[in-house]
Amino acid sequence: MATQLLFLGAAGEVTGSCYLVDTGSVKFLVDCGMFQGGRDAQRKNRRFAFAPKDIAFVLLTHAHIDHSGLLPRLAAQGFAGPVYATAATGELLAVMLPDSAHLQEKEAERERTTPLYTVAEARVCLSSLRQADYGAAFRPHEGVRCVFRDAGHILGSAIIELFLSDGKIVFSGDLGQPGRPIVEDPAPIEEADVLLVESTYGNRNHKSLVQTLDEFAFALNDTLASKRGNVVIPSFAVGRTQEILYYIAELRRQGRIPAADVYVDSPMASAATRITLRHAKLPDLERVRFTESLEESMRINNVRAGAIIISASGMCEGGRIRHHLRCNLPRPECAVVFVGFQAAGTLGRRIVDGAKSVRIFRETYPVRAKLFTINGLSAHADRAALLAWLGKFRRPPRQTWVVHGEPLAAQSLKDDIVKRLHWRAGVPDGGDCVAL
Ligand SMILES: [Zn+2]
């Protein structure tokens, strides 16, 4: 039988990445991500569309929860095989999966239901990780050869080349924007019979890095130069925080911002930064303090001026950032700098949208701090970068599937692929099954 490819997630949406490959002699998954956002996502997370015990192994593109977050549940429900991932991805998962499990346990307690998985189940699942190195071919099963290539999206992220007896499938995973610090540019791929390409920003281009850094320097200077207030930066712990530290060091080195104390106040961000330092080079992080304990975190509340406070969560929904917003948001001499996407319904989005006051910990606080939004720092390739990466193929794939994008973004990239590259391309629906 011809190999079958089943789209189980990230089809017409950006979360829940999961593809099932069935060669006839073996079934395996590429990614096992959590669906995020609302009731519908919660429902989809509860039920696998296959029997976990039938899955021989998992190939994992990167550590983000929307690609890895259901691995503990998969293992708890009968999957007993290995999970192949890069070393850096494995180290990040060791922090992220137990953290995700902890959130599941807390939520289940609130909602009086059973958690999606427990911290103990997350730890069990970590023991099934096997290391895959960039560029080194391996055979997870007879008749399946596999090579991971650097996707340049976050630390450890991979494009997966899959060589089967009836053809070659390439999974782009999440592709990074070229020219970014800490990570390499996405590796070029030259051939595939079937290609799955992400499309998060398939219909948009990012601002240039030069312009983005100008905006960031302006936002920091505006507050730091007055020496009267603090700058608060809500930031995703993994990836974005390290990138922000890099840019602060770089702007400082260029003499474009004054010296300032930088606090990284998120245990997850601190752990992710330590892992990053093991795998990549960061410039000298002068005057950066990583706070671990709650006491240390609370002491930052006494700092009235001259500090840059980076904390999670990135959309201000949970974590220590809310304490820093509570202290600094009501003060006109302070600034809040948003460096990531703020989804509808989040506290971050309400502030960005111009709320005059917001509720934090059941109290109302006026929004008087200056607000800045830096939009150019996405970890995903934009439309131009996606097309440039696709342009490196030496011949058109027999079929290209555009995945991991909202419907408009996916459709737009598909149209570009058909019109500009003259390839055969489509946007699959969740649940679609195609033969190779
Ligand atoms: Zn990602």
Side-chain angles (χ1 to χ4, degrees):
M1 106 180 198
T3 295
Q4 308 272 318
L5 176 64
L6 192 57
F7 298 90
L8 296 171
E13 59 186 327
V14 293
T15 69
S17 276
C18 185
Y19 311 101
L20 191 155
V21 181
D22 182 356
T23 69
S25 58
V26 66
K27 285 184 191 166
F28 59 94
L29 298 182
V30 175
D31 287 346
C32 188
M34 191 180 281
F35 291 92
Q36 293 165 321
R39 293 268 154 209
D40 196 39
Q42 284 178 9
R43 185 183 51 75
K44 287 197 268 189
N45 284 331
R46 295 255 159 208
R47 210 188 141 269
F48 288 115
F50 51 86
K53 68 170 173 41
D54 293 346
I55 302 299
F57 57 92
V58 179
L59 305 172
L60 192 61
T61 61
H62 65 291
H64 275 153
I65 289 297
D66 63 315
H67 293 255
S68 70
L70 288 185
L71 283 171
R73 189 167 174 87
L74 187 75
Q77 298 208 343
F79 166 70
V83 176
Y84 294 91
T86 63
T89 295
E91 288 172 45
L92 288 171
L93 287 178
V95 183
M96 294 169 75
L97 289 182
D99 181 78
S100 166
H102 180 67
L103 294 178
Q104 300 302 326
E105 288 184 356
K106 275 206 307 204
E107 183 173 309
E109 216 175 277
R110 256 199 324 270
E111 312 247 317
R112 290 160 200 271
T113 143
T114 53
L116 210 46
Y117 49 86
T118 64
V119 172
E121 284 166 340
R123 295 205 190 285
V124 168
C125 150
L126 289 171
S127 64
S128 60
L129 282 168
R130 301 287 176 274
Q131 185 174 327
D133 295 324
Y134 291 137
F138 62 98
R139 289 180 188 279
H141 189 272
E142 205 181 278
V144 181
R145 195 163 66 90
C146 187
V147 184
F148 281 41
R149 306 275 179 196
D150 198 335
H153 166 61
I154 60 165
L155 194 71
S157 63
I159 299 162
I160 297 178
E161 293 182 286
L162 198 57
F163 300 85
L164 306 170
S165 60
D166 50 355
K168 175 184 176 187
I169 314 180
V170 169
F171 298 85
S172 77
D174 287 3
L175 286 173
Q177 179 77 352
R180 291 303 165 89
I182 303 171
V183 290
E184 300 290 324
D185 289 356
I189 303 292
E190 297 187 340
E191 273 183 328
D193 293 305
V194 173
L195 168 67
L196 278 71
V197 63
E198 73 123 317
S199 60
T200 316
Y201 285 92
N203 57 347
R204 275 177 290 170
N205 283 329
H206 304 319
K207 278 185 188 166
S208 77
L209 193 54
V210 171
Q211 194 182 355
T212 301
L213 283 188
D214 284 349
E215 289 176 5
F216 189 46
F218 177 82
L220 296 177
N221 270 320
D222 189 68
T223 300
L224 294 177
S226 75
K227 296 194 168 59
R228 289 169 55 228
N230 297 320
V231 176
V232 175
I233 306 179
S235 173
F236 300 107
V238 180
R240 186 55 43 83
T241 292
Q242 293 74 41
E243 205 181 354
I244 292 297
L245 287 173
Y246 178 97
Y247 289 131
I248 289 172
E250 193 54 27
L251 290 174
R252 181 71 201 116
R253 195 183 62 78
Q254 295 173 7
R256 296 174 66 189
I257 55 169
D261 291 321
V262 179
Y263 295 91
V264 176
D265 189 29
S266 151
M268 170 86 95
S270 302
T273 306
R274 277 195 298 274
I275 294 167
T276 304
L277 286 169
R278 282 205 287 273
H279 292 272
K281 257 185 90 67
L282 285 177
D284 245 355
L285 304 175
E286 55 163 19
R287 294 178 69 173
V288 178
R289 289 171 217 187
F290 295 90
T291 50
E292 295 291 338
S293 70
L294 272 180
E295 291 71 35
E296 285 176 284
S297 171
M298 271 146 63
R299 244 177 276 145
I300 305 173
N301 296 345
N302 302 326
V303 180
R304 300 289 290 170
I308 300 173
I309 304 162
I310 307 169
S311 188
S313 73
M315 300 192 206
C316 314
E317 278 298 276
R320 295 180 179 176
I321 185 66
R322 291 174 301 169
H323 293 278
H324 302 300
L325 290 174
R326 192 169 55 87
C327 291
N328 294 283
L329 207 48
R331 300 175 56 209
E333 59 274 23
C334 293
V336 181
V337 182
F338 291 93
V339 292
F341 182 70
Q342 304 297 315
T346 60
L347 174 58
R349 178 65 166 266
R350 285 195 288 284
I351 297 171
V352 168
D353 280 350
K356 292 273 177 285
S357 64
V358 288
R359 302 273 294 172
I360 304 172
F361 298 126
R362 299 198 181 86
E363 288 199 47
T364 302
Y365 295 88
V367 180
R368 296 206 194 95
K370 291 206 183 94
L371 305 177
F372 297 91
T373 303
I374 311 293
N375 276 329
L377 290 178
S378 173
H380 287 271
D382 63 10
R383 173 174 177 256
L386 286 167
L387 287 169
W389 183 80
L390 293 165
K392 296 196 176 113
F393 278 75
R394 282 189 292 143
R395 58 178 176 83
R398 279 207 307 266
Q399 176 68 40
T400 297
W401 296 108
V402 180
V403 296
H404 199 287
E406 302 284 346
L408 275 179
Q411 200 61 42
S412 163
L413 184 65
K414 191 216 89 174
D415 292 345
D416 271 339
I417 291 173
V418 172
K419 280 196 210 111
R420 291 164 170 241
L421 303 174
H422 310 291
W423 295 5
R424 268 177 58 143
V427 179
D429 283 325
D432 279 2
C433 181
V434 296
L436 203 62

